[in-house]
Amino acid sequence: GKHKFGVVYCRAGQTTEEEMFSNENGSELFYNFMDMMEAVVSTQSTGKFQEFMRRKELEERKKKVLERAENILWKRYSNAQLSNITKQKASDFWHETFQKAPTTWELEEFYKITLNKYAPHIASRELSKHQTSVEDAVDRVFDNLRRTLSASKDVVLDRSGLIEMVNKELPEDDTGLQKIDIEYIWDNRYRLPHVTWIDK
């Protein structure tokens, strides 16, 4: 039978799944190893499996933050405090409760789910602001790619790489992209040709 496995990057001193799953990037050696693994496994199956693992890891991380919020954080602070939460207050609440600063991802997720529960009007405004930021970032990235194609240069892309390019264009205080149909945007919104997708 066929076997599938995932690879998680562990920094020096990290001992828990939460710490390892919170890593937003790896070392040069880690990426070299992943490149070697991709050379062994077919591109098609690698892309699908990587996407599956990304979704699974993200679901687990979201579940853990929600459990901490429901069981500890939301019980520790009043409705008035939570309904007036800001990103700085969210960071302070987390630090006061767990005696350590949240990772960037933990802060964004805790802030988002708290807004959705206790201040939906603010959450709606934040979502609108985020969507505008994403659209602007997508425009900048695709304008650059269009110029590359116009210069008759070859372009090889994968969805995760393109999403990373868009994320780099987002403001530092934005929540970043969790899910976006990059290929649809490429084919339908911009109708850009001559691209090879390497993770179908």
Side-chain angles (χ1 to χ4, degrees):
K2 294 182 178 180
H3 299 277
K4 294 183 178 180
F5 62 92
V7 180
V8 178
Y9 181 64
C10 176
R11 296 185 184 280
Q14 291 183 331
T15 58
T16 67
E17 286 185 358
E18 181 179 1
E19 290 174 327
M20 297 175 200
F21 286 145
S22 70
N23 290 329
E24 298 179 354
N25 48 55
S27 66
E28 183 178 354
L29 287 174
F30 175 79
Y31 290 125
N32 288 341
F33 174 76
M34 294 304 296
D35 288 341
M36 180 189 70
M37 293 300 295
E38 288 188 17
V40 175
V41 184
S42 70
T43 301
Q44 183 175 6
S45 60
T46 300
K48 290 180 179 179
F49 182 62
Q50 287 179 337
E51 182 62 27
F52 168 78
M53 288 301 298
R54 280 194 291 269
R55 288 198 302 269
K56 183 175 176 62
E57 289 173 9
L58 182 60
E59 288 170 2
E60 287 297 319
R61 292 169 69 187
K62 285 186 173 183
K63 181 180 177 182
K64 288 182 178 180
V65 171
L66 181 59
E67 287 175 349
R68 283 186 159 192
E70 290 179 332
N71 297 329
I72 304 173
L73 288 155
W74 291 343
K75 292 180 178 180
R76 182 184 175 101
Y77 298 96
S78 68
N79 286 358
Q81 288 175 300
L82 294 170
S83 63
N84 289 290
I85 196 167
T86 63
K87 210 169 277 189
Q88 182 58 56
K89 287 181 181 177
S91 179
D92 292 342
F93 291 168
W94 188 285
H95 191 276
E96 290 169 2
T97 302
F98 301 113
Q99 301 302 307
K100 66 176 183 178
T103 66
T104 300
W105 188 89
E106 287 171 336
L107 172 59
E108 298 292 355
E109 184 65 14
F110 172 56
Y111 177 62
K112 180 180 70 176
I113 62 177
T114 302
L115 280 183
N116 287 335
K117 183 174 177 65
Y118 291 94
H121 60 290
I122 299 177
S124 178
R125 190 170 66 237
E126 291 277 321
L127 178 60
S128 177
K129 177 183 175 183
H130 170 66
Q131 289 175 334
T132 300
S133 295
V134 170
E135 289 174 3
D136 291 344
V138 168
D139 284 339
R140 289 193 295 273
V141 168
F142 278 78
D143 281 344
N144 291 336
L145 291 172
R146 185 185 289 111
R147 285 193 290 271
T148 299
L149 291 174
S150 297
S152 299
K153 295 180 180 178
D154 293 332
V155 177
V156 178
L157 296 172
D158 64 90
R159 293 180 188 85
S160 58
L162 197 47
I163 288 174
E164 184 178 349
M165 291 171 65
V166 175
N167 268 322
K168 288 180 179 178
E169 291 291 330
L170 291 171
E172 289 186 4
D173 63 345
D174 201 282
T175 56
L177 299 176
Q178 299 298 336
K179 184 177 182 182
I180 184 171
D181 193 340
I182 284 291
E183 188 174 354
Y184 175 84
I185 292 174
W186 180 276
D187 291 335
N188 295 278
R189 177 173 174 181
Y190 291 90
R191 300 186 184 281
L192 294 171
H194 314 305
V195 62
T196 302
W197 294 96
I198 63 173
D199 64 344
K200 285 282 193 182

